[in-house]
Amino acid sequence: MLHKGDKVSVLDEAIEGVVVSVQNNEILIETTDGFLMTYFVNELIKYNITNDLNSFISSDKLHKALHEKKEPIKRSFVKEKKSKKDEFVLEIDLHIEKLVPNKKGLSNYDILTIQMDTAKRQLEFAISKRMPKVVFIHGVGEGVLKAELDFLLGRYENVSFHDANYQKYGLGATEVFIKQRV
């Protein structure tokens, strides 16, 4: 318990002072700078002054409070090294504007054929180069290209697929995992 005249220090701030008055749980202190400030009892620590070089000898309460305030020791984590093959993800954008210089004069059938031929060719390339993952960016649209792409991917035994990361690609991409044979 604190009494008038006790020297105190504030726990979470670099403020010291002398207790001026005590009312219930509120303590009015006069800081070393001459300001009057009010704190709750649990925010203050009483200390004693001695004449030796260690001018502040803390009470058990101060040691306990400082121990609780000490930041926890950060743990170190060993990051697992990945091969360059795992880091690289082949992204194929199947938007027609990315595949041909000019789409003028192409019918919807021609556009879909070009997109599916590109998807098949790139998937075969990824399989031959033993890439573990491929992302096909097809866009949202009416879903015709996605349906055709799902049909194409379903014909491969060593391939599994699902919608790609929504945060990175939105709804318009499919992530393909290529199972490697040993």
Side-chain angles (χ1 to χ4, degrees):
M1 188 65 193
L2 297 173
H3 302 288
K4 186 175 179 180
D6 287 343
K7 295 187 184 329
V8 293
S9 180
V10 181
L11 273 178
D12 291 331
E13 300 176 38
I15 298 175
E16 297 174 350
V18 177
V19 175
V20 175
S21 71
V22 178
Q23 293 178 350
N24 299 332
N25 280 342
E26 292 186 0
I27 310 291
L28 179 66
I29 68 166
E30 182 178 348
T31 66
T32 53
D33 298 326
F35 294 103
L36 293 175
M37 302 181 88
T38 304
Y39 290 96
F40 290 108
V41 174
N42 60 353
E43 296 176 315
L44 300 173
I45 298 291
K46 180 179 174 182
Y47 66 87
N48 300 320
I49 298 178
T50 63
N51 290 332
D52 64 12
L53 293 174
N54 300 329
S55 61
F56 296 109
I57 296 182
S58 304
S59 65
D60 291 335
K61 190 174 179 186
L62 179 59
H63 283 297
K64 183 179 175 187
L66 290 176
H67 182 68
E68 290 173 0
K69 290 290 179 186
K70 210 189 293 185
E71 290 186 29
I73 299 170
K74 297 191 183 222
R75 296 184 291 161
S76 63
F77 294 96
V78 178
K79 190 171 182 180
E80 186 177 312
K81 292 195 176 193
K82 296 180 179 177
S83 69
K84 290 188 177 185
K85 193 181 275 191
D86 290 341
E87 292 174 12
F88 179 76
V89 176
L90 181 61
E91 293 180 355
I92 298 111
D93 194 340
L94 295 176
H95 288 92
I96 193 65
E97 300 84 21
K98 302 285 184 178
L99 301 178
V100 293
N102 186 3
K103 69 174 186 169
K104 194 173 185 178
L106 293 175
S107 68
N108 287 344
Y109 175 79
D110 294 334
I111 291 171
L112 185 61
T113 303
I114 292 169
Q115 290 171 321
M116 291 308 297
D117 287 345
T118 302
K120 184 175 181 179
R121 188 174 62 252
Q122 293 293 339
L123 183 61
E124 293 291 337
F125 172 79
I127 292 170
S128 70
K129 297 297 180 187
R130 300 182 59 80
M131 293 180 183
K133 185 164 62 167
V134 179
V135 175
F136 288 103
I137 302 170
H138 48 72
V140 180
E142 296 176 14
V144 175
L145 178 57
K146 181 175 178 20
E148 287 292 322
L149 192 58
D150 289 353
F151 180 74
L152 172 71
L153 296 172
R155 295 191 336 217
Y156 288 86
E157 289 180 17
N158 59 334
V159 164
S160 65
F161 60 95
H162 60 81
D163 290 340
N165 184 343
Y166 176 76
Q167 290 179 329
K168 186 171 182 181
Y169 299 104
L171 293 172
T174 299
E175 190 171 33
V176 179
F177 296 97
I178 302 168
K179 299 169 191 157
Q180 303 297 329
R181 296 180 190 196
V182 181

